[in-house]
Amino acid sequence: MCCGRLSLGLEAMLEGGFELPRRGEARRAGREVLRDSIFVQLRDDILRGRFSRGESLVELKLASQYGVSRTPIREAIRQLEIEGLVRYLPNRGVVVEGITTQDVEDIFVIREHLEGLVARWAAARVTPEELKKLHEVLELQEFYVAKDDVHQITVLDTEFHRLLLEASKSKSLRYALGSMLDYVEQARLRSLSVPGRIHDSVREHKSILEAVEAGDSEEAARLIAKHMKNARNNLLRFVTEQEKKDNSHEDS
Amino acid sequence: MCCGRLSLGLEAMLEGGFELPRRGEARRAGREVLRDSIFVQLRDDILRGRFSRGESLVELKLASQYGVSRTPIREAIRQLEIEGLVRYLPNRGVVVEGITTQDVEDIFVIREHLEGLVARWAAARVTPEELKKLHEVLELQEFYVAKDDVHQITVLDTEFHRLLLEASKSKSLRYALGSMLDYVEQARLRSLSVPGRIHDSVREHKSILEAVEAGDSEEAARLIAKHMKNARNNLLRFVTEQEKKDNSHEDS
DNA sequence: TTGCCCGAGGATGTATACAATAATACACGA
DNA sequence: TCGTGTATTATTGTATACATCCTCGGGCAA
């Protein structure tokens, strides 16, 4: 009984289990399996709205479109299915579900509840190596703040939160939050487009990282919770302003 | 509680008029695609520990074992991969990851942070139909409390929380929590094995359902948070007692 | 013995063939 | 005209063939 658990832990250690990279990124340098690149492309195409909601994905069509056979397509679709981006209809294939505005709003709320855990656990378990990477990302963000490059900052924002997630060393947490970061990247781009927001956002990252580095779990959790709340408010502000613009356009 | 309705609900349940959205179970009456049944079997086998951690899954072996070709096996594996139950090694197949004690503990903490949202949103959005189902599950639980059938109560516990999750109408939340319910079913079986716990647990469900039915989001969130905390404490109690037993066995 | 090369075997990656199922169109009859 | 049954076709479900890659062990030389 106890021996089983012991060897379990040992194996886990030897396995060095945490270097799972973002799905689909080269699983090994140089070579990548087709289903992964298809998966990433399909997912991006769905998230960017290149497939409209309700559109059905036909395997043969996709196969010829991507210049591969049905097999990798099918496997990519199976993965999209688990992620909930497509809906399966028996013997009729899959239709695009995508994510709705409601989904994005939910994700922001969910992250408000979970990022605290990320920060707390990361503060307790972060490695020097991970801290180094986090600092690098932060410095890059500051660089791009000076250049006012919102897009780059958004990408690095994802990276920052992903690194923190890895640092938390929790597979369950990574499972729960992992793809949410990708799902709302578009939304964060908008949230960060509110004038002055990039500056604040990066500053918040800086203070979060300081708390994590100091091992102050509670402070890190408090700061990241505030960070999430600010991000959400900014998104709301952006959305309402967008609506105002849309309305005035309609009038003219 | 009226006995007539109880037996009615019971019959309905046993009849199987209860279409579970739980992955892989008959997507349509009568017919099921192979990859789904393979997926469910493999997942259960992993969660139940029939595959040991680190063991590699060989497609051809599994294919002959289940009497199907490689294709459905591969697709099932792709899904396990996304769920994080197996780890992919390029050109070498997948090895079983399973879930560790640490993962289970994390899941309980994560649920403490998220089930509040489930209850809150469910209270706001639940439909009469869903309420009916929830009541049925609750009545069945009370039935099995009388019979002291911990296993059935555990299964129904999963069902109760899953129904609540569906009632929350949030795809994102469902994605984050969906398979966690399955992952910790074994653990909840243990948590509920603590003497007297099944009684309290079902009573807590009852009060949660009352708050949800009354549309009292805050109360529902408060109650379910307490429910989760109790469940976690019971699991811890069970584990420590188990360890005590193991130790005394070792001595003999 | 140690280290390296290399080839066989096995496993996965991809493509394609065949079977089963659902959607569609069309002809036929009321 | 409308509805219905049927044939056709498109698409998915499953199986299998072929290509590619990795591992592992034998043989050989230093």
Side-chain angles (χ1 to χ4, degrees), chain A residues 224-243:
Chain A
I224 208 168
K226 195 166 181 186
H227 177 58
M228 292 310 306
K229 183 167 296 216
N230 287 339
R232 177 154 156 256
N233 286 339
N234 265 278
L235 181 62
L236 288 178
R237 197 176 308 165
F238 181 92
V239 169
T240 49
E241 276 177 19
Q242 202 66 25
E243 278 172 1

Side-chain angles (χ1 to χ4, degrees), chain B residues 29-228:
Chain B
R31 247 200 129 66
E32 173 173 292
V33 286
L34 283 181
R35 65 162 171 278
D36 277 352
S37 69
I38 306 282
F39 172 75
V40 171
Q41 288 183 62
L42 277 178
R43 192 177 67 167
D44 282 358
D45 285 348
I46 291 173
L47 292 180
R48 300 266 165 82
R50 274 194 275 276
F51 289 114
S52 52
R53 188 182 167 79
E55 192 173 344
S56 76
L57 297 180
V58 178
E59 296 172 2
L60 265 180
K61 216 182 289 177
L62 292 173
S64 71
Q65 193 172 316
Y66 287 108
V68 298
S69 78
R70 280 177 58 207
T71 311
I73 300 283
R74 282 178 66 83
E75 299 190 340
I77 288 179
R78 292 292 87 77
Q79 307 194 128
L80 290 173
E81 204 187 323
I82 285 279
E83 291 221 335
L85 255 34
V86 299
R87 196 154 76 93
Y88 175 83
L89 301 173
N91 287 309
R92 292 198 296 155
V94 297
V95 297
V96 176
E97 278 265 294
I99 51 174
T100 64
T101 312
Q102 182 65 54
D103 293 331
V104 173
E105 285 172 20
D106 288 359
I107 288 176
F108 269 81
V109 177
I110 291 169
R111 287 185 68 206
E112 269 184 49
H113 284 73
L114 286 188
E115 289 283 353
L117 275 181
V118 175
R120 186 169 295 133
W121 287 343
R125 304 169 188 169
V126 69
T127 67
E129 204 171 276
E130 287 162 344
L131 279 173
K132 184 161 161 276
K133 282 188 191 169
L134 281 163
H135 276 294
E136 281 172 12
V137 169
L138 199 56
E139 283 169 23
L140 267 175
Q141 280 204 307
E142 283 167 344
F143 174 75
Y144 283 116
V145 165
K147 299 190 103 178
D148 204 43
D149 187 335
V150 180
H151 181 262
Q152 283 297 332
I153 291 175
T154 304
V155 172
L156 290 166
D157 184 283
T158 304
E159 199 49 33
F160 184 85
H161 285 283
R162 192 182 303 280
L163 283 171
L164 224 49
L165 187 56
E166 293 300 319
S168 77
K169 310 281 188 304
S170 169
K171 192 172 85 170
S172 306
L173 204 48
R174 188 172 53 215
Y175 170 76
L177 279 172
S179 26
M180 287 196 188
L181 290 178
D182 300 315
Y183 289 1
V184 296
E185 186 155 299
Q186 295 295 312
R188 270 182 296 120
L189 180 60
R190 296 189 195 107
S191 170
L192 289 169
S193 297
V194 171
R197 175 60 192 155
I198 52 173
H199 186 263
D200 292 343
S201 174
V202 172
R203 208 175 44 189
E204 285 163 20
H205 280 185
K206 198 180 166 88
S207 59
I208 291 166
L209 181 52
E210 278 168 8
V212 167
E213 192 158 20
D216 189 342
S217 291
E218 295 315 310
E219 178 71 358
R222 197 184 62 78
L223 287 170
I224 207 168
K226 196 167 180 184
H227 176 59
M228 291 311 305

